[in-house]
Amino acid sequence: MIDRFQSSIPKLGIAALTSNVLRGHGNRRLSRTVNRQNNAAVHRIAATQMRCHDDARTYLERRMNQDHKTKTEALRALKRRLSDIVYRALLADTQPTDQAGRADLLAAAA
């Protein structure tokens, strides 16, 4: 299943594209070819992280305050970061590994 994803950017179907009509304004929209189920799953993960995890809240605040991003842009960055973690976990599941390697992956994701 994981070998369907050719690159690391649109891997889980959440890559935002610049809208052609509003290109100068930097507005974004989802690609029409994305996997909506994956997008919904990453959105749920992000919502839970924002609600329950201090690290995610700190990341969002840093994005909004230091990087001067809007809340939507900061949330998009959090989703991209979380999708990277999920993608690495999916890749690790496809390769045979021992329990120690699996524990290392989970520790790195936390």
Side-chain angles (χ1 to χ4, degrees), residues 45-53 56-57 60 71 75 78:
I45 293 169
T48 302
Q49 291 279 320
M50 288 184 335
R51 192 175 63 246
C52 300
H53 296 279
R57 278 183 250 157
L60 286 172
K71 186 174 182 179
L75 180 59
L78 177 64

Side-chain angles (χ1 to χ4, degrees), residues 5-12 80 83-84 87:
F5 305 115
Q6 297 175 1
S7 71
S8 61
I9 301 279
K11 60 195 159 284
L12 293 177
R80 171 83 39 104
S83 71
D84 290 341
Y87 185 71

Side-chain angles (χ1 to χ4, degrees), residues 89 92-95 97-108:
D93 281 347
T94 62
Q95 299 171 1
T97 183
D98 59 354
Q99 288 291 39
R102 193 165 177 77
D104 291 342
L105 175 70
L106 294 175

Side-chain angles (χ1 to χ4, degrees), residues 17-29:
L17 302 174
T18 303
S19 178
N20 289 337
V21 176
L22 304 169
R23 185 171 293 255
H25 301 288
N27 290 340
R28 307 274 183 185
R29 65 171 175 81

Side-chain angles (χ1 to χ4, degrees), residues 21-39:
V21 176
L22 304 169
R23 185 171 293 255
H25 301 288
N27 290 340
R28 307 274 183 185
R29 65 171 175 81
L30 279 178
S31 168
R32 292 181 185 170
T33 61
V34 300
N35 187 325
R36 304 272 182 216
Q37 287 180 326
N38 289 345
N39 187 41

Side-chain angles (χ1 to χ4, degrees), residues 46-65 74 78 81:
T48 302
Q49 291 279 320
M50 288 184 335
R51 192 175 63 246
C52 300
H53 296 279
D54 292 332
D55 292 338
R57 278 183 250 157
T58 303
Y59 180 79
L60 286 172
E61 289 174 11
R62 185 178 73 233
R63 283 292 196 165
M64 289 189 288
N65 295 332
L78 177 64
R81 188 174 181 185

